[in-house]
């Protein structure tokens, strides 16, 4: 039984292949088209998934879309009627698009499948539709290592639902409670993303990264005027301050007046006000998540919790939840946003629609999230030669040894190995890596390699067996979805003068023995690296530890700001030549910047829009 899961037409389109209940392949369309958050039909991703499974289109038994377009249209139409005549401009703008394309997505999807996968198949007979939050819940529970668990999903909005509680048992999964639009924790967070000058559905992680530079001064205003939080974690928003129901912006003039001025212009200078706003909405988000989790633990008596939906990518809130120890175990879908809906839709069809049994794995069934394309050494060398690259081909041992020594020498290194990751995090398959002991690496990587804001933190990849020595974390964190503090014995004391610093001035104070991955609040977004799921990355970190005593590397995604993570050897070479990365390791091929033709270098930043 082969099921193709599809997520498309909003943002982060993706496809996945489930064969006889096993997740064979999954990828976001943006990685192939090179368009960040590409919302289009995932033709390239779907074709890749079939190749990975050794299938032709006729072998696909079902194609499952991750939500129900008509229900979504119903919600939008009813919302406009409820707020009429306000929002008529937005209504008039969106209705022709809905009536032309989105309302009749069964036809649209069938035509796309005909165009991209084959016109000799009656795709409409194989097409099924899941429900948005059920797709999220299925993506969280079915790949998890639990026979039984509570499942909490939180995002902007699906059809109507913004937050849901489901219970999973074996191959069964049922939704028990929901919070519905317009009351949405995800949209509240996105409102502050917009107001602080970042892009909605893209910049929320910037708000999270900015929060430790501020003080939660606005929490009382948010809770007094914007959101009413009950003790069980359910909430109600005052829509007088928001425009996302009917307008073309997230917030309105009342929101501006409440916080003392208009929204920050994108790319303008960040002030302490934006930092304090970020700290405030982060604190409110954590309060809601914690109260919801407490209520779930009390009412369901479940010992395991699974999370999905865009809010589940808030790894600071996840770390707080882990430290509370409300549940014995927490598992989060690594592609928790809409891309992961493709996985959930396919698995929901297999287990719920077809009533097929579920296999439970001791870790999980996501294969470390390494579900994307990989390239043979022959393919790598052919691609690099066509691109004009100068490289050497090394044995495994020599490659590991040379890269480790270059890391010790302070070089920033592009690391492309094995299968590409599925989801927003680079996990050692498509990463830029560096020495975390350097006090200047964070700023240099942000400004000279990633070309992004200096405040944005980098994550540590640490050997699983050494994690508790360096971080206040005892459990696995393979998907970089939990924040934990650096252990006190690795922290560096701050002087009284340093303690008085505010805002971005805090950035240049080394806080631990691994300052490049230690945020201003002593926290870090930890990835535990496991020998079984990524043996080559594990070997590299082990070699670095042998040379330095430190089992940690800086790990950031292999791309520049506004670019999707690299997918192919050609992508990796272009990014290498357009940035100040000094060494590139693709498979067993090693490239040094000084050996390359200067004619191939260009200003890479101009290729992509800012995120």
């Amino acid at each position: 039984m082969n099921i193709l899961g599809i997520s498309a037409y909003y943002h982060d389109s993706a496809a996945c292949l489930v064969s006889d209940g096993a997740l064979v392949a999954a990828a976001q369309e943006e990685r192939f088209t090179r368009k960040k958050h590409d919302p289009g039909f995932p033709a390239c991703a779907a074709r890749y998934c079939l190749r990975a499974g050794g299938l032709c289109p006729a072998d696909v038994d079902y194609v499952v879309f991750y939500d129900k377009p008509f229900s979504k249209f119903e919600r939008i139409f009813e919302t406009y009627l409820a707020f009429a005549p306000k929002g008529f401009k937005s209504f008039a703008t969106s209705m022709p698009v809905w009536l032309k394309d989105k309302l009749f997505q069964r036809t649209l999807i069938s035509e796309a499948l005909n165009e991209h996968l084959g016109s000799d198949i009656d795709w409409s007979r194989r097409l099924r539709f899941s429900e948005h939050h059920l797709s999220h819940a299925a993506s969280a529970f079915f790949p998890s290592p639990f026979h039984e668990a509570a499942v909490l999903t939180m995002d902007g909005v699906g059809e109507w639902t913004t937050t849901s509680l489901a219970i999973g048992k074996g191959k069964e999964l049922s939704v028990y409670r929901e919070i519905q639009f317009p009351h949405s924790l995800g949209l509240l967070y996105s409102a502050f993303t917009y107001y602080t000058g970042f892009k909605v559905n893209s910049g929320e992680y910037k708000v999270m990264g900015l929060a430790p530079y501020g003080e939660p001064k606005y929490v009382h205003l948010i809770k007094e005027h914007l959101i009413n939080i009950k003790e069980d974690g359910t909430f109600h928003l005052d829509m007088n301050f928001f425009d996302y129901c009917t307008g073309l912006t997230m917030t309105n003039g009342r929101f501006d007046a409440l916080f003392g001025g208009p929204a920050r212009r994108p790319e303008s200078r960040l002030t302490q006000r934006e930092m304090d706003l970020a700290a405030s909405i982060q604190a409110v988000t954590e309060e809601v998540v914690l109260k919801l989790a407490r209520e779930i633990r009390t009412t369901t008596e479940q010992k395991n919790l699974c999370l999905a939906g865009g809010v589940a990518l808030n790894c600071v809130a996840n770390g707080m939840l882990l430290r509370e120890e409300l549940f014995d175990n927490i598992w989060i879908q690594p592609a928790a946003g809409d891309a992961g809906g493709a996985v959930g839709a396919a698995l929901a069809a297999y287990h719920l629609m077809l009533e097929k049994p579920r296999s439970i794995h001791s870790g999980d069934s996501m294969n470390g999230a390494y579900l994307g394309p990989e390239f043979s050494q022959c393919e790598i060398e052919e691609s690099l030669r066509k691109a004009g690259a100068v490289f050497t081909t090394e044995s495994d041992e020599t490659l590991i040894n040379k890269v480790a020594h270059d890391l010790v020498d302070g070089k920033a290194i592009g690391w492309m190995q094995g299968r590409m990751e599925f989801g927003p995090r680079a996990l050692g398959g498509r990463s830029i890596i560096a020495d975390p002991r350097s006090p200047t690496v964070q700023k240099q990587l942000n400004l000279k390699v990633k070309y992004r804001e200096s405040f944005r933190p980098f994550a540590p990849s640490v050997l699983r067996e050494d994690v508790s020595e360096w971080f206040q974390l005892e459990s696995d964190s393979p998907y970089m979805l939990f924040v934990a503090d650096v252990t006190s014995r690795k922290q560096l004391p701050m002087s009284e003068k340093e303690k008085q610093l505010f805002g971005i001035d805090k950035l240049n104070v080394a806080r631990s023995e691994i300052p490049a991955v230690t945020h201003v609040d002593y926290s870090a977004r930890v990835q535990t690296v496991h020998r079984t799921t990524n043996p080559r990355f594990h070997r590299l970190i082990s070699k670095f530890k042998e040379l330095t005593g430190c089992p940690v590397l800086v790990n950031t995604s292999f791309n520049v700001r506004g670019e999707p993570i690299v997918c192919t050897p050609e992508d990796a070479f272009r990014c290498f030549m357009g940035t100040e990365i000094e060494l590139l390791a693709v498979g067993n091929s090693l490239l040094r910047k000084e050996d390359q033709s200067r004619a191939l270098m260009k200003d890479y930043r101009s290729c992509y829009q800012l995120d």
Side-chain angles (χ1 to χ4, degrees), residues 52-70:
L55 305 178
C56 64
D59 296 323
V60 176
D61 296 288
Y62 293 99
V63 177
V64 189
F65 195 69
Y66 81 126
D67 72 7
K68 293 184 175 177
F70 192 85

Side-chain angles (χ1 to χ4, degrees), residues 21-23 139-146 306 330-335 347 358-371 427 476-482 528 530 532-533:
L23 184 53
S139 79
F141 177 63
F142 289 131
S144 79
F146 312 136
C306 299
I330 299 175
W331 191 87
I332 305 169
Q333 164 57 238
L347 289 173
R358 173 175 169 240
S359 297
I360 300 172
H361 300 259
S362 57
D364 61 48
S365 58
M366 287 296 295
N367 192 35
Y370 306 112
L371 295 165
L427 302 169
D476 290 350
S477 180
Y479 303 124
M480 210 180 281
L481 286 170
F482 292 109
T528 53
H530 300 242
T532 52
T533 52

